PDB file of all heavy atoms in Angstrom:
ATOM      1  N   SER A  32      -8.689 -21.600  19.134  1.00 98.00           N
ATOM      2  CA  SER A  32      -9.820 -21.029  18.405  1.00 98.00           C
ATOM      3  C   SER A  32      -9.477 -19.606  18.006  1.00 98.00           C
ATOM      4  O   SER A  32      -8.697 -18.927  18.676  1.00 98.00           O
ATOM      5  CB  SER A  32     -11.092 -21.068  19.256  1.00 98.00           C
ATOM      6  OG  SER A  32     -10.887 -20.284  20.404  1.00 98.00           O
ATOM      7  N   ASP A  86     -14.936  -1.509  14.335  1.00 96.00           N
ATOM      8  CA  ASP A  86     -15.408  -2.198  13.115  1.00 96.00           C
ATOM      9  C   ASP A  86     -16.683  -1.574  12.572  1.00 96.00           C
ATOM     10  O   ASP A  86     -17.378  -2.189  11.768  1.00 96.00           O
ATOM     11  CB  ASP A  86     -15.613  -3.696  13.403  1.00 96.00           C
ATOM     12  CG  ASP A  86     -16.784  -3.954  14.336  1.00 96.00           C
ATOM     13  OD1 ASP A  86     -17.272  -2.998  14.981  1.00 96.00           O
ATOM     14  OD2 ASP A  86     -17.228  -5.110  14.427  1.00 96.00           O
ATOM     15  N   GLY A 136      -4.042 -11.660 -13.793  1.00 64.00           N
ATOM     16  CA  GLY A 136      -4.609 -11.811 -15.135  1.00 64.00           C
ATOM     17  C   GLY A 136      -5.024 -10.471 -15.713  1.00 64.00           C
ATOM     18  O   GLY A 136      -4.851  -9.428 -15.080  1.00 64.00           O
ATOM     19  N   THR A 191     -31.480  -1.407  -9.406  1.00 98.00           N
ATOM     20  CA  THR A 191     -32.385  -1.071  -8.288  1.00 98.00           C
ATOM     21  C   THR A 191     -33.125   0.231  -8.549  1.00 98.00           C
ATOM     22  O   THR A 191     -34.251   0.400  -8.103  1.00 98.00           O
ATOM     23  CB  THR A 191     -31.621  -0.943  -6.945  1.00 98.00           C
ATOM     24  OG1 THR A 191     -30.586   0.040  -7.110  1.00 98.00           O
ATOM     25  CG2 THR A 191     -31.041  -2.260  -6.497  1.00 98.00           C
ATOM     26  N   ARG A 194     -35.846   1.905 -14.507  1.00 97.00           N
ATOM     27  CA  ARG A 194     -37.294   1.824 -14.776  1.00 97.00           C
ATOM     28  C   ARG A 194     -37.657   0.400 -15.131  1.00 97.00           C
ATOM     29  O   ARG A 194     -37.090  -0.154 -16.079  1.00 97.00           O
ATOM     30  CB  ARG A 194     -37.643   2.699 -15.969  1.00 97.00           C
ATOM     31  CG  ARG A 194     -37.837   4.119 -15.566  1.00 97.00           C
ATOM     32  CD  ARG A 194     -38.637   4.843 -16.642  1.00 97.00           C
ATOM     33  NE  ARG A 194     -38.431   6.258 -16.447  1.00 97.00           N
ATOM     34  CZ  ARG A 194     -38.388   7.145 -17.419  1.00 97.00           C
ATOM     35  NH1 ARG A 194     -38.542   6.769 -18.670  1.00 97.00           N
ATOM     36  NH2 ARG A 194     -38.206   8.409 -17.158  1.00 97.00           N
ATOM     37  N   ILE A 232     -34.896  -7.921 -10.520  1.00 98.00           N
ATOM     38  CA  ILE A 232     -34.882  -6.650  -9.791  1.00 98.00           C
ATOM     39  C   ILE A 232     -35.991  -5.768 -10.354  1.00 98.00           C
ATOM     40  O   ILE A 232     -36.002  -5.465 -11.550  1.00 98.00           O
ATOM     41  CB  ILE A 232     -33.526  -5.916  -9.971  1.00 98.00           C
ATOM     42  CG1 ILE A 232     -32.347  -6.834  -9.634  1.00 98.00           C
ATOM     43  CG2 ILE A 232     -33.471  -4.641  -9.112  1.00 98.00           C
ATOM     44  CD1 ILE A 232     -31.478  -7.199 -10.778  1.00 98.00           C
ATOM     45  N   ARG A 244     -24.799  -5.828   8.910  1.00 98.00           N
ATOM     46  CA  ARG A 244     -23.599  -6.458   9.464  1.00 98.00           C
ATOM     47  C   ARG A 244     -22.895  -7.256   8.371  1.00 98.00           C
ATOM     48  O   ARG A 244     -23.511  -8.112   7.725  1.00 98.00           O
ATOM     49  CB  ARG A 244     -23.996  -7.389  10.618  1.00 98.00           C
ATOM     50  CG  ARG A 244     -22.793  -8.066  11.257  1.00 98.00           C
ATOM     51  CD  ARG A 244     -23.207  -8.961  12.429  1.00 98.00           C
ATOM     52  NE  ARG A 244     -22.118  -9.849  12.786  1.00 98.00           N
ATOM     53  CZ  ARG A 244     -21.101  -9.508  13.558  1.00 98.00           C
ATOM     54  NH1 ARG A 244     -21.028  -8.314  14.077  1.00 98.00           N
ATOM     55  NH2 ARG A 244     -20.119 -10.370  13.807  1.00 98.00           N
ATOM     56  N   VAL A 245     -21.627  -6.963   8.148  1.00 98.00           N
ATOM     57  CA  VAL A 245     -20.849  -7.701   7.144  1.00 98.00           C
ATOM     58  C   VAL A 245     -20.662  -9.136   7.656  1.00 98.00           C
ATOM     59  O   VAL A 245     -20.259  -9.332   8.802  1.00 98.00           O
ATOM     60  CB  VAL A 245     -19.464  -7.030   6.934  1.00 98.00           C
ATOM     61  CG1 VAL A 245     -18.616  -7.816   5.939  1.00 98.00           C
ATOM     62  CG2 VAL A 245     -19.634  -5.585   6.480  1.00 98.00           C
ATOM     63  N   THR A 293     -19.652 -26.303  13.569  1.00 97.00           N
ATOM     64  CA  THR A 293     -19.823 -26.413  15.017  1.00 97.00           C
ATOM     65  C   THR A 293     -20.868 -25.370  15.414  1.00 97.00           C
ATOM     66  O   THR A 293     -21.308 -24.599  14.560  1.00 97.00           O
ATOM     67  CB  THR A 293     -18.502 -26.102  15.753  1.00 97.00           C
ATOM     68  OG1 THR A 293     -18.149 -24.739  15.472  1.00 97.00           O
ATOM     69  CG2 THR A 293     -17.380 -27.034  15.319  1.00 97.00           C
ATOM     70  N   ARG A 295     -20.354 -22.733  16.998  1.00 97.00           N
ATOM     71  CA  ARG A 295     -19.815 -21.365  16.894  1.00 97.00           C
ATOM     72  C   ARG A 295     -19.186 -21.052  15.548  1.00 97.00           C
ATOM     73  O   ARG A 295     -18.781 -19.936  15.289  1.00 97.00           O
ATOM     74  CB  ARG A 295     -18.760 -21.150  17.987  1.00 97.00           C
ATOM     75  CG  ARG A 295     -19.304 -21.320  19.392  1.00 97.00           C
ATOM     76  CD  ARG A 295     -18.317 -20.847  20.422  1.00 97.00           C
ATOM     77  NE  ARG A 295     -17.032 -21.555  20.357  1.00 97.00           N
ATOM     78  CZ  ARG A 295     -15.952 -21.210  21.039  1.00 97.00           C
ATOM     79  NH1 ARG A 295     -15.982 -20.138  21.814  1.00 97.00           N
ATOM     80  NH2 ARG A 295     -14.837 -21.908  20.951  1.00 97.00           N
ATOM     81  N   MET A 301      -6.418 -32.281  11.701  1.00 97.00           N
ATOM     82  CA  MET A 301      -5.666 -33.189  10.822  1.00 97.00           C
ATOM     83  C   MET A 301      -4.508 -33.738  11.637  1.00 97.00           C
ATOM     84  O   MET A 301      -3.765 -32.968  12.241  1.00 97.00           O
ATOM     85  CB  MET A 301      -5.133 -32.381   9.630  1.00 97.00           C
ATOM     86  CG  MET A 301      -4.446 -33.199   8.587  1.00 97.00           C
ATOM     87  SD  MET A 301      -5.665 -34.299   7.815  1.00 97.00           S
ATOM     88  CE  MET A 301      -4.702 -34.944   6.480  1.00 97.00           C
ATOM     89  N   ASN A 342      -9.336 -22.216 -13.588  1.00 96.00           N
ATOM     90  CA  ASN A 342     -10.248 -21.867 -14.691  1.00 96.00           C
ATOM     91  C   ASN A 342     -10.700 -20.416 -14.672  1.00 96.00           C
ATOM     92  O   ASN A 342     -11.310 -19.959 -15.635  1.00 96.00           O
ATOM     93  CB  ASN A 342     -11.521 -22.731 -14.599  1.00 96.00           C
ATOM     94  CG  ASN A 342     -11.250 -24.174 -14.968  1.00 96.00           C
ATOM     95  OD1 ASN A 342     -10.590 -24.446 -15.970  1.00 96.00           O
ATOM     96  ND2 ASN A 342     -11.734 -25.099 -14.161  1.00 96.00           N
ATOM     97  N   MET A 357      11.028 -23.426  -1.763  1.00 98.00           N
ATOM     98  CA  MET A 357      10.926 -24.053  -0.437  1.00 98.00           C
ATOM     99  C   MET A 357      11.009 -25.583  -0.536  1.00 98.00           C
ATOM    100  O   MET A 357      10.740 -26.277   0.436  1.00 98.00           O
ATOM    101  CB  MET A 357       9.605 -23.642   0.230  1.00 98.00           C
ATOM    102  CG  MET A 357       9.483 -22.144   0.414  1.00 98.00           C
ATOM    103  SD  MET A 357       7.896 -21.652   1.140  1.00 98.00           S
ATOM    104  CE  MET A 357       8.208 -22.076   2.859  1.00 98.00           C
ATOM    105  N   VAL A 373       6.463 -34.144  -1.695  1.00 98.00           N
ATOM    106  CA  VAL A 373       7.826 -34.081  -1.159  1.00 98.00           C
ATOM    107  C   VAL A 373       7.708 -34.408   0.331  1.00 98.00           C
ATOM    108  O   VAL A 373       6.659 -34.157   0.924  1.00 98.00           O
ATOM    109  CB  VAL A 373       8.490 -32.689  -1.366  1.00 98.00           C
ATOM    110  CG1 VAL A 373       8.789 -32.422  -2.823  1.00 98.00           C
ATOM    111  CG2 VAL A 373       7.655 -31.561  -0.771  1.00 98.00           C
ATOM    112  N   LEU A 386      -2.250 -11.163  -3.232  1.00 95.00           N
ATOM    113  CA  LEU A 386      -2.880 -11.415  -1.923  1.00 95.00           C
ATOM    114  C   LEU A 386      -2.965 -12.904  -1.553  1.00 95.00           C
ATOM    115  O   LEU A 386      -2.421 -13.344  -0.535  1.00 95.00           O
ATOM    116  CB  LEU A 386      -4.272 -10.767  -1.974  1.00 95.00           C
ATOM    117  CG  LEU A 386      -5.299 -11.099  -0.912  1.00 95.00           C
ATOM    118  CD1 LEU A 386      -4.796 -10.714   0.462  1.00 95.00           C
ATOM    119  CD2 LEU A 386      -6.601 -10.343  -1.210  1.00 95.00           C
ATOM    120  N   GLY A 401      12.240 -25.121   9.807  1.00 97.00           N
ATOM    121  CA  GLY A 401      13.119 -23.958   9.941  1.00 97.00           C
ATOM    122  C   GLY A 401      12.450 -22.640   9.607  1.00 97.00           C
ATOM    123  O   GLY A 401      11.249 -22.570   9.333  1.00 97.00           O
ATOM    124  N   GLU A 404      10.999 -16.261   5.513  1.00 97.00           N
ATOM    125  CA  GLU A 404      10.617 -14.845   5.511  1.00 97.00           C
ATOM    126  C   GLU A 404       9.722 -14.631   4.322  1.00 97.00           C
ATOM    127  O   GLU A 404      10.129 -14.894   3.184  1.00 97.00           O
ATOM    128  CB  GLU A 404      11.868 -13.996   5.293  1.00 97.00           C
ATOM    129  CG  GLU A 404      12.302 -13.248   6.512  1.00 97.00           C
ATOM    130  CD  GLU A 404      13.437 -12.298   6.193  1.00 97.00           C
ATOM    131  OE1 GLU A 404      13.436 -11.649   5.126  1.00 97.00           O
ATOM    132  OE2 GLU A 404      14.329 -12.235   7.033  1.00 97.00           O
ATOM    133  N   ALA A 427       1.428 -20.118  16.499  1.00 98.00           N
ATOM    134  CA  ALA A 427       2.493 -19.973  15.494  1.00 98.00           C
ATOM    135  C   ALA A 427       3.569 -19.036  16.025  1.00 98.00           C
ATOM    136  O   ALA A 427       3.292 -18.147  16.835  1.00 98.00           O
ATOM    137  CB  ALA A 427       1.911 -19.408  14.200  1.00 98.00           C
ATOM    138  N   VAL A 438       1.245   5.416   6.683  1.00 60.00           N
ATOM    139  CA  VAL A 438       0.060   5.666   5.868  1.00 60.00           C
ATOM    140  C   VAL A 438      -0.920   6.461   6.710  1.00 60.00           C
ATOM    141  O   VAL A 438      -1.263   6.077   7.826  1.00 60.00           O
ATOM    142  CB  VAL A 438      -0.569   4.333   5.419  1.00 60.00           C
ATOM    143  CG1 VAL A 438      -1.843   4.594   4.642  1.00 60.00           C
ATOM    144  CG2 VAL A 438       0.422   3.577   4.558  1.00 60.00           C
TER     145      VAL A 438
END
Side-chain angles (χ1 to χ4, degrees):
S32 62
D86 69 346
T191 56
R194 276 200 198 146
I232 308 113
R244 181 178 165 82
V245 178
T293 63
R295 300 191 301 171
M301 185 66 171
N342 289 314
M357 300 178 78
V373 291
L386 166 60
E404 251 187 40
V438 177

